[in-house]
Amino acid sequence: MPATYVMDLAGREIVAPVLGKGPSGNLGRWIGHMLKGRFTHEDITKAAPVPHEAAIGTAAQMFPARGQGIMGLRDRDVRVPAFALATHVA
């Protein structure tokens, strides 16, 4: 559990400013919609926002299940896997 906190802290304070991209609330949004009975989305980024989705997403993490594909490359934004790699290295 301490490693997760260090990773989240490094992501927010070190990696996000360097890459210009922080962790998204997409996973939290997806989980929030599951609690309402909806389990799939064509594009989670276009789904209605869910209260506290960033906090929910911080508690759980999965790229393919959020609709971002292998290594989060569905949108062809290399900052997504770079963010994940950098925070895991930290």
Side-chain angles (χ1 to χ4, degrees):
M1 183 108 73
T4 302
Y5 294 121
V6 171
M7 187 175 98
D8 291 344
L9 181 64
R12 187 177 62 246
E13 302 298 327
I14 300 167
V15 180
V18 170
L19 294 177
K21 180 175 183 72
S24 69
N26 292 338
L27 178 58
R29 183 174 296 179
W30 180 59
I31 292 170
H33 280 278
M34 284 195 304
L35 296 173
K36 297 176 183 177
R38 180 148 187 215
F39 295 88
T40 62
H41 299 269
E42 182 66 30
D43 184 349
I44 193 64
T45 63
K46 294 179 180 152
V50 173
H52 312 292
E53 61 189 29
I56 295 168
T58 298
Q61 43 183 320
M62 296 173 264
F63 277 128
R66 327 192 277 212
Q68 288 181 289
I70 301 300
M71 293 185 63
L73 289 172
R74 180 178 180 192
D75 295 328
R76 294 179 172 75
D77 184 352
V78 296
R79 295 178 302 169
V80 173
F83 182 88
L85 176 63
T87 56
H88 281 83
V89 168

